[in-house]
Amino acid sequence: MKKLRHLLEFALAWSGLKLIRVLPDLMITTITVLLADAYYGLARTRRQIAYRNVLESGIADNPAEASRIARHSFRHFGLVVIESLTSSRYLTEETWQDHVHLDLDAESERWIREDGRGVILASGHLGNWEIAAQVVSYLKPVSGITRVMNNPYVEQLVQRHKPRNRFTLTPKRDANSARFLEAIRDGKILAFMIDQFAHDRGMMIDFFGRPASTHTAIALLHLVSGTPLIFGYSRRIAPRQFEFKAFPPIRIERSGDKQRDLRSILDALTRYLEEAIRESPEQYLWAHRRWRVPAQSSRH
Amino acid sequence: MTRDEIISKLRDIMKESTEKPVDWSTVSGESTIESLGFDSLSILDLIYDIQQEFDAEFDAEQLVSIQTVGELAEFLSSQLA
């Protein structure tokens, strides 16, 4: 039964990809927005999660505005998927600078451009994170972590269609400290998403005023390796036009107290993420259950 | 600090860091770090604790290929020399 469902999903995805290849951009965008609106209407639970998250974050000060942002967030996510599958049409080594405006802090830019220097790049599910990785990979090879889809056929199909340039992905199950340290040693950009629910292994960090279980590996890697840690993200500013912004590197006064230092780093990264989300709230993945309560928090 | 002294100190640090019940009297240079309850991510905690306890600044990237307590002790010995 499961295999049949996977094959049906594969057939749908395959047909979708064929359509994407032949249809003009405007039509693809229109269809994507219509499908996202339909999903927003049908997926009651996800819709309510997104709506509540927007409202409780203080991003919207009234229910109508919260609904608008939640609906646009669904559309945005649809566009993220389409852009990730079609960006090879216009983002190439020769042309990417026509489509991306770089807004980089001077020191962060120096670290990112310096040959052989490993950098840890933190980002969130804001804007188009796939485009962000592609863009920085034109400056320096990028190593990221990905969650493998449950459907192996669709996973293979999608991976074949995603442009990679100098952007390599490690499945989450194979991600480990040795690989992270290797990437740093090899002078790559090691990319992490900092807004994933970390279950009971995370540290509770306030995100828009509410505690959220946050992975600590990125902060520990920074502490033990001294590798520059930068928050950056890419947002859509027009069709086929993006801005990639990098904030100043994270700097904390080391206390020698591991928990305190980890918290300082994760707090600083989370404040950058909040600032970025406030700039483009419709481009954040609000349907994600970021504030789930872990069964047992290990690092409060 | 001799290799044995480093291993003894490492044992103390690991005892504090791991959640796995281990018979520490049997831990030797040949014991793998993984067998002592350090997984792919908690190993970063251990590296941090080692840097603090030994007051040693070294590139964590150099630890990529280290598998056993003995290899770790030798690495630290070279760093502290």
Side-chain angles (χ1 to χ4, degrees), chain A residues 28-242:
Chain A
I28 296 171
T29 303
T30 308
I31 294 171
T32 304
V33 167
L34 287 172
L35 287 173
D37 281 354
Y39 183 63
Y40 181 78
L42 293 169
R44 185 163 170 263
T45 308
R46 284 282 157 202
R47 183 177 69 233
Q48 284 178 341
I49 291 169
Y51 169 78
R52 258 202 319 272
N53 283 345
V54 175
L55 209 56
E56 289 174 9
S57 300
I59 286 286
D61 55 10
N62 63 74
E65 177 65 358
S67 276
R68 188 192 67 78
I69 291 173
R71 177 185 291 271
H72 277 83
S73 164
F74 275 59
R75 290 180 180 176
H76 167 72
F77 184 65
L79 293 175
V80 165
V81 174
I82 296 299
E83 284 165 352
S84 305
L85 295 170
T86 59
S87 58
S88 58
R89 292 182 188 176
Y90 51 93
L91 278 185
T92 66
E93 187 87 46
E94 293 74 34
T95 62
W96 70 272
Q97 293 188 74
D98 300 334
H99 298 273
V100 181
H101 168 70
L102 292 177
D103 179 7
L104 310 176
D105 164 78
E107 193 185 352
S108 291
E109 179 169 15
R110 186 162 57 81
W111 292 127
I112 290 172
R113 289 190 186 272
E114 187 183 315
D115 270 348
R117 159 68 72 172
V119 171
I120 306 170
L121 179 68
S123 198
H125 290 89
L126 168 70
N128 192 325
W129 49 93
E130 294 266 352
I131 296 281
Q134 281 177 51
V135 166
V136 287
S137 75
Y138 289 113
L139 305 172
K140 182 175 274 184
V142 175
S143 176
I145 302 151
T146 187
R147 181 183 172 277
V148 177
M149 291 180 192
N150 295 334
N151 185 329
Y153 308 109
V154 177
E155 169 70 19
Q156 253 188 357
L157 183 72
V158 168
Q159 291 308 330
R160 269 207 313 270
H161 282 78
K162 278 188 184 178
R164 282 285 170 255
N165 190 34
R166 295 190 298 167
F167 172 28
T168 51
L169 279 170
T170 302
K172 203 171 171 182
R173 61 171 181 268
D174 299 332
N176 58 52
S177 305
R179 278 183 187 244
F180 298 155
L181 292 168
E182 261 171 13
I184 290 170
R185 185 193 60 195
D186 295 345
K188 291 181 178 175
I189 291 174
L190 181 61
F192 284 89
M193 302 297 253
I194 60 162
D195 55 353
Q196 287 174 318
F197 177 61
H199 300 270
D200 57 357
R201 290 193 74 168
M203 177 178 266
M204 299 307 284
I205 299 291
D206 275 1
F207 181 42
F208 287 113
R210 285 190 290 156
S213 178
T214 306
H215 287 289
T216 55
I218 187 170
L220 264 172
L221 269 173
H222 171 62
L223 284 176
V224 302
S225 70
T227 307
L229 172 57
I230 295 166
F231 182 86
Y233 72 102
S234 142
R235 66 186 182 111
R236 185 186 313 104
I237 47 178
R240 289 190 173 191
Q241 292 295 319
F242 302 90

Side-chain angles (χ1 to χ4, degrees), chain B residues 2-13 69:
Chain B
T2 65
R3 184 179 184 270
D4 285 346
E5 285 169 338
I6 292 174
I7 289 179
S8 166
K9 197 167 178 181
L10 278 174
R11 233 185 257 137
D12 292 340
I13 298 169
V69 175

Side-chain angles (χ1 to χ4, degrees), chain B residues 4 19 21 29 38 43 45 47 50 60 62 67 75:
Chain B
D4 285 346
E19 287 172 6
F38 294 96
I43 190 84
D45 279 295
I47 296 172
I50 289 169
Q62 293 175 278
Q67 305 277 329
F75 170 78

Side-chain angles (χ1 to χ4, degrees), chain A residues 4-22:
Chain A
L4 181 67
R5 183 166 56 82
H6 282 173
L7 286 170
L8 277 170
E9 287 170 356
F10 172 79
L12 272 173
W14 184 83
S15 313
L17 282 167
K18 286 283 169 204
L19 270 179
I20 287 170
R21 275 194 182 170
V22 293

Side-chain angles (χ1 to χ4, degrees), chain A residues 175-178 180-182 184-185 201 217 220-221 223-225 227 254 256-259 261-262 299, chain B residues 17 19 39-49 51-52 56-65 67:
Chain A
N176 58 52
S177 305
F180 298 155
L181 292 168
E182 261 171 13
I184 290 170
R185 185 193 60 195
R201 290 193 74 168
L220 264 172
L221 269 173
L223 284 176
V224 302
S225 70
T227 307
R254 290 197 187 205
D257 177 335
K258 182 164 58 176
Q259 301 304 315
D261 288 352
L262 290 176
R299 285 169 164 158
Chain B
S17 300
E19 287 172 6
D39 65 15
S40 62
L41 292 175
S42 62
I43 190 84
L44 287 175
D45 279 295
L46 178 63
I47 296 172
Y48 178 93
D49 294 340
Q51 287 178 338
Q52 292 290 117
E57 281 191 17
F58 54 82
D59 290 336
E61 302 94 288
Q62 293 175 278
L63 297 175
V64 164
S65 55
Q67 305 277 329

